[in-house]
Amino acid sequence: PPPPSSPPFSPPLCSLPRGLEPPSACVVHLDIDNFYCAVEAADEPRLRGVPLAVTQGNAGGFVALSAEAKAAGLRKGDGVGEGGRRNIPALVAMASIGIAEARRRAPELVVRPMRVERYRQVASSVLALLRRWGRVEKTSYDDFYVDVTAAAAAAAAVGVGGAGVRVWRSDGPPLASGGGQELAPDLSAACSVAQEMRAAVLAELQLPSSAGVARNKLAARLLSAAAKPAGELKGGRPTSRADHRAP
């Protein structure tokens, strides 16, 4: 099958904090969606679009699930042997189901064991790719912080800005697509940088991802989680004091 087409990019989301911050860093947190399953599907394209579960390989049950498997009602912690389902308190509490019941709920379910070395290789490839845009901190197989301060400043200097940005506000609901005018120019440009990153990761590695952009790592990480799946959320300060609305 051909490589997956780029999923519709959810408009970015940006945070407007309670007080104005001085211009500072632009940080992107990029998170590969369903990393283990995404790697398996990239290596074996026939797995795209089917229920897929990755197991620990030691009767520990499912540790990752594709969107299709989740839609069938499968959860992390399902797929464990009978002994574990009876005796492990967390599995008892969640009413974990075995592999036979999982296959009843998702007849096309494909189960693959974890491939730790392969996941390390792919994570290294993502790391190398993201270094095109700035310094990168890798915190796990699928989590990356990228300092795009310089890239964003250069893009802002020539008028580049994020299109279709969703802005998260501390004093209300997210703005609709097109809220990028609420952002400082460099942060708006950082939105475009994040879009470039996601497009490259998808085109070159066949991995879908979500991204958050903010002035600091914590905010960027929170926004990327809210952007899932396959979305971008962006955060920063308003362009002027008048633009800020206190809670």
Side-chain angles (χ1 to χ4, degrees), residues 22-245:
S24 56
C26 292
V27 179
V28 174
H29 178 256
L30 187 135
D31 187 0
I32 306 299
D33 296 333
N34 292 331
F35 179 74
Y36 294 168
C37 291
V39 172
E40 297 302 328
D43 287 352
E44 194 174 347
R46 74 177 187 86
L47 297 178
R48 296 179 189 137
V50 303
L52 173 64
V54 175
T55 67
Q56 288 182 326
N58 60 356
F62 303 152
V63 295
L65 297 161
S66 68
E68 295 78 13
K70 293 175 182 177
L74 305 187
R75 305 156 299 172
K76 293 179 183 178
D78 287 334
V80 180
E82 183 177 357
R85 300 199 310 275
R86 287 182 175 180
N87 299 304
I88 299 175
L91 299 182
V92 173
M94 68 174 283
S96 173
I97 63 173
I99 188 68
E101 174 62 17
R103 293 191 184 281
R104 188 190 70 78
R105 297 184 184 184
E108 297 181 352
L109 179 67
V110 176
V111 179
R112 291 286 187 268
M114 288 182 67
R115 297 187 295 155
V116 174
E117 187 55 38
R118 177 57 179 155
Y119 302 149
R120 287 177 180 156
Q121 293 172 355
V122 174
S124 295
S125 296
V126 177
L127 176 64
L129 187 156
L130 294 179
R131 282 177 172 155
R132 299 174 190 172
W133 288 275
R135 295 178 300 168
V136 183
E137 178 184 355
K138 173 177 169 289
T139 56
S140 68
Y141 289 150
D142 59 347
D143 284 315
F144 304 85
Y145 294 97
V146 189
D147 179 357
V148 299
T149 305
V158 295
V160 174
V165 177
R166 287 181 299 153
V167 180
W168 182 86
R169 311 192 69 127
S170 60
D171 57 346
L175 298 180
S177 176
Q181 70 273 9
E182 295 280 328
L183 302 175
D186 63 336
L187 202 64
S188 181
C191 297
S192 292
V193 173
Q195 290 169 340
E196 291 175 8
M197 289 179 182
R198 293 183 56 231
V201 170
L202 184 67
E204 298 181 33
L205 301 176
Q206 290 76 56
L207 300 174
S209 62
S210 299
V213 182
R215 294 298 188 193
N216 59 69
K217 290 164 59 178
L218 176 59
R221 185 179 186 89
L222 293 173
L223 291 169
S224 69
K228 285 183 172 291
E232 296 165 11
L233 309 183
K234 311 224 169 18
R237 67 178 183 88
T239 55
S240 71
R241 186 174 300 276
D243 288 336
H244 177 73
R245 293 160 52 190

